Amino acid sequence: MPDNIELGRPGPKAGPAEVDTIEDAPSQALRDPPEFIGKDRAVEFLKAVGGPITVTAEDNRRILRKIDIVILPIILGIYFLQSLDKTALSYASVFGIIKDAHLVGDQYSWLGAIVYLAQLVMQPAGAYFLVKLPVGKFTAITVLCWGAILCIMAATKNFGGLMATRFFLGAFEASVAPAFIAIVQMWYRRSEQTNRNAAWYSMLGVVNMLGSLLSYGLAHIQSSVLRPYQIIFLFCGALTVVFSILIFLILPDSPIDAKFLKTDHDKLIAIERLRMNQMGISSRAWKWSHVREAFLDPKTYLWFSMITAIAIPSGGISTFGPLIVESFGFDSFTTILFNIPFGAVQFVATLGSAYLATVWKVKSVLLIMLCLPPIAGCVMLLAVEHDKAHRGVLLAGYYIISVYPAISPLIYSWSAQNTAGDTKRKVTTGILFVGQSVGNVVGPHLYQPSEAPRYTRGLTSNLALFVVLIALVCVGVFSVRILNLRHARRRAQMGKAEKVLDLSMEGQKEVRDKGQVLNESEAFVGDKAFDDITDLKNEDFIYIY
């Protein structure tokens, strides 16, 4: 074993018959002997290379920088393109697609909803594939497929064709965001996850800014063959197809497979720094016991209810946002430009709230605070007269509502950081995205073009749901604190420390200032981290709120 690897707690060492050199470890770690079946892949890798190592603050900082340089830009780019592709319809709505495709009644609403209906249908299969398949390659293929579908959508000329292509667009996009949550869990400590989840989700705001400018520019291209919205579809789809090739070449399937981590020592650090997450990295083993627990765990339905409560307003506003602004009395091009501040508020609110949640080590308070501006914005749009004299006030109300996208990544992070067991994590994430899909299907149907300019039904229902979400967050805090008390009692009964410091939530500065080791805690807490057991079964798991 190289001299630069410092052992922490004693780990199982590999004898000569098992591993000839440490360089052979990765290939041998990919096999599945009976002793490793059902456990996280990290267990086999750790045994192959000689056991766990001590991760210092400097080790953590160095490896985190490498991970951020390679992993983060890829997932930011993917979500930017997904958001751009999904919102292309809303930009197309102000450039004549409703008239050209002869859309009547609630057909435009169905074009917004069908994407999420397809995502709802595909969530069970997506959860299974995310457990069983290499996540990097799987993600690259799905991105390639949806980019191709968007290009095809430029050729559709009626409601039926648009519905078919939008369905397949949603089907191939269904696993992308759940894959991101899995990737963030696989690479980052819990204290780092909220900011990273917020980073990729903040691309919604970037899309509303750059996408508006992009659509503005593309729509000015003069063509005797293509309509402006067809040019938008073709450009976005082609860009997505090209980016999928980069994903296939760059995005690794796990820390064990990462080519950018040049040595086994770096791979060990990337794995061991996650020990106190109590979540492992990846098992590739589908466990029906985890599925059962996910469906029986009350927390699952709490997260589901929260995400559904925010997805309904999100689905309606994202589909009808440009039409709402147009109802203030602006022309098509001005409407697109006025959507830019909406995106800026989204971007700042998403990253700002994640930063505060990380510094304060609390999400529940931020979630409640983020519900207040949209409530005020809905009231303003409902109460103020929709005429030219009040356009400034109406725009202010619309921009205040745009804080709401910051809520979703905090809910995803809260759920992900409170769920362990590879299959259970991905099933729970799938259930959450079913809730998001349901909300996004329902949301656009609460708004009807015939109700312009006030959209009373949509805005009133959105207002009520923000209030409901506040109540659900309070229930969540109470539930999580009860679970922590139960686990503390179980640790005491087993002779472990009843109260332990949650090292997974310690920031880099805290670890450095206190001289802490990131992957070692008192009384054997953390020894089950890579056993692929669920949060309810692991007494060392610490819930956060």
Side-chain angles (χ1 to χ4, degrees):
M1 182 179 299
D3 294 334
N4 65 335
I5 295 185
E6 176 189 357
L7 292 179
R9 291 188 304 276
K13 297 188 178 182
E18 295 176 293
V19 180
D20 295 326
T21 64
I22 195 168
E23 285 76 15
D24 295 330
S27 60
Q28 288 190 235
L30 296 178
R31 301 178 192 139
D32 291 318
E35 61 187 295
F36 298 123
I37 291 176
K39 290 196 174 184
D40 197 277
R41 295 178 70 208
V43 173
E44 187 175 355
F45 187 81
L46 289 171
K47 181 177 177 63
V49 299
I53 62 170
T54 297
V55 180
T56 65
E58 178 56 33
D59 289 331
N60 180 67
R61 185 186 64 81
R62 180 174 60 84
I63 295 301
L64 178 61
R65 187 188 309 117
K66 288 185 176 184
I67 294 169
D68 277 342
I69 289 172
V70 175
I71 303 296
L72 203 54
I74 290 292
I75 60 177
L76 293 182
I78 296 171
Y79 203 69
F80 173 84
L81 290 171
Q82 184 188 31
S83 302
L84 184 64
D85 295 351
K86 282 199 299 188
T87 55
L89 178 67
S90 67
Y91 298 131
S93 69
V94 297
F95 288 115
I97 194 172
I98 294 177
K99 180 180 178 182
D100 289 358
H102 308 292
L103 303 181
V104 296
D106 62 354
Q107 288 182 338
Y108 176 73
S109 297
W110 271 112
L111 292 180
I114 191 66
V115 170
Y116 303 105
L117 188 61
Q119 291 183 359
L120 186 156
V121 172
M122 292 301 296
Q123 284 308 320
Y128 181 79
F129 290 146
L130 285 174
V131 172
K132 298 293 289 184
L133 299 179
V135 67
K137 306 300 183 292
F138 175 65
T139 301
I141 291 170
T142 58
V143 172
L144 171 66
C145 292
W146 102 57
I149 293 295
L150 189 61
C151 290
I152 294 171
M153 197 163 80
T156 57
K157 298 180 179 180
N158 53 44
F159 176 67
L162 286 169
M163 282 288 283
T165 51
R166 293 280 293 177
F167 178 86
F168 284 108
L169 186 71
F172 287 116
E173 289 181 347
S175 298
V176 172
F180 290 169
I181 293 174
I183 289 168
V184 168
Q185 289 174 322
M186 182 187 295
W187 288 96
Y188 292 99
R189 297 169 59 236
R190 290 206 295 181
S191 63
E192 302 157 356
Q193 289 175 8
T194 301
N195 279 331
R196 272 65 184 186
N197 281 328
W200 60 260
Y201 204 87
S202 71
M203 291 300 100
L204 285 172
V206 175
V207 163
N208 276 321
M209 291 184 286
L210 298 185
S212 296
L213 291 173
L214 182 65
S215 298
Y216 184 86
L218 291 174
H220 275 87
I221 295 175
Q222 299 298 317
S223 172
S224 60
V225 178
L226 298 174
R227 296 279 287 143
Y229 58 82
Q230 291 176 310
I231 296 173
I232 293 171
F233 291 159
L234 284 172
F235 178 85
C236 295
L239 188 62
T240 302
V241 169
V242 171
F243 195 74
S244 70
I245 300 171
L246 295 178
I247 301 167
F248 191 88
L249 295 174
I250 297 173
L251 184 63
D253 299 314
S254 76
I256 297 171
D257 309 303
K259 293 179 181 179
F260 71 89
L261 298 176
K262 302 298 185 183
T263 67
D264 296 303
H265 182 58
D266 283 355
K267 291 178 182 179
L268 280 170
I269 295 172
I271 292 170
E272 272 293 329
R273 74 188 208 96
L274 306 181
R275 180 177 287 275
M276 290 307 159
N277 284 359
Q278 307 286 350
M279 293 179 177
I281 55 169
S282 174
S283 70
R284 300 272 179 89
W286 181 265
K287 296 182 178 180
W288 286 106
S289 61
H290 286 205
V291 177
R292 183 169 56 253
E293 183 174 311
F295 278 96
L296 294 177
D297 189 346
K299 296 197 311 303
T300 302
Y301 300 99
L302 185 62
W303 312 133
F304 173 87
S305 300
M306 287 184 191
I307 207 68
T308 304
I310 186 59
I312 292 175
S314 176
I317 294 169
S318 63
T319 302
F320 276 83
L323 293 179
I324 292 174
V325 175
E326 192 175 42
S327 74
F328 299 161
F330 300 109
D331 62 35
S332 296
F333 286 104
T334 305
T335 294
I336 291 295
L337 293 177
F338 271 125
N339 218 44
I340 295 174
F342 186 92
V345 174
Q346 284 183 327
F347 182 78
V348 172
T350 301
L351 293 182
S353 60
Y355 173 78
L356 291 176
T358 300
V359 172
W360 296 348
K361 298 181 182 179
V362 63
K363 294 177 178 61
S364 52
V365 174
L366 265 300
L367 283 168
I368 292 172
M369 290 172 61
L370 286 169
C371 288
L372 301 180
I375 289 173
C378 288
V379 170
M380 289 172 67
L381 293 187
L382 287 167
V384 176
E385 281 296 322
H386 284 58
D387 54 35
K388 289 187 177 182
H390 295 91
R391 285 196 297 194
V393 177
L394 292 169
L395 276 172
Y398 179 65
Y399 294 150
I400 290 172
I401 291 175
S402 65
V403 169
Y404 78 86
I407 295 172
S408 294
L410 286 183
I411 296 174
Y412 289 133
S413 294
W414 199 11
S415 167
Q417 292 169 2
N418 282 317
T419 309
D422 192 29
T423 302
K424 183 183 178 183
R425 286 201 311 267
K426 284 155 186 174
V427 169
T428 301
T429 300
I431 291 172
L432 260 68
F433 277 91
V434 167
Q436 173 168 306
S437 300
V438 169
N440 284 322
V441 168
V442 173
H445 287 279
L446 296 176
Y447 292 83
Q448 294 291 336
S450 60
E451 294 180 357
R454 287 194 173 275
Y455 298 104
T456 303
R457 182 176 59 169
L459 290 171
T460 302
S461 60
N462 292 173
L463 174 62
L465 285 166
F466 285 118
V467 174
V468 169
L469 183 56
I470 291 174
L472 290 171
V473 170
C474 295
V475 174
V477 172
F478 177 77
S479 301
V480 165
R481 296 187 69 171
I482 293 296
L483 288 172
N484 272 337
L485 291 174
R486 289 179 182 174
H487 276 195
R489 285 197 296 267
R490 284 177 59 191
R491 286 195 297 271
Q493 292 167 0
M494 299 173 69
K496 297 183 178 183
E498 183 175 355
K499 295 183 179 180
V500 295
L501 176 64
D502 184 3
L503 290 176
S504 73
M505 292 300 292
E506 293 286 279
Q508 284 197 72
K509 186 176 185 302
E510 293 169 305
V511 171
R512 185 178 64 250
D513 292 347
K514 297 177 184 177
Q516 294 171 324
V517 174
L518 270 71
N519 60 328
E520 291 186 359
S521 187
E522 63 268 33
F524 305 103
V525 172
D527 285 353
K528 296 181 179 180
F530 301 118
D531 286 353
D532 194 29
I533 57 177
T534 65
D535 54 284
L536 294 178
K537 299 289 175 60
N538 183 2
E539 70 280 352
D540 296 339
F541 193 92
I542 301 172
Y543 296 95
I544 59 177
Y545 55 88

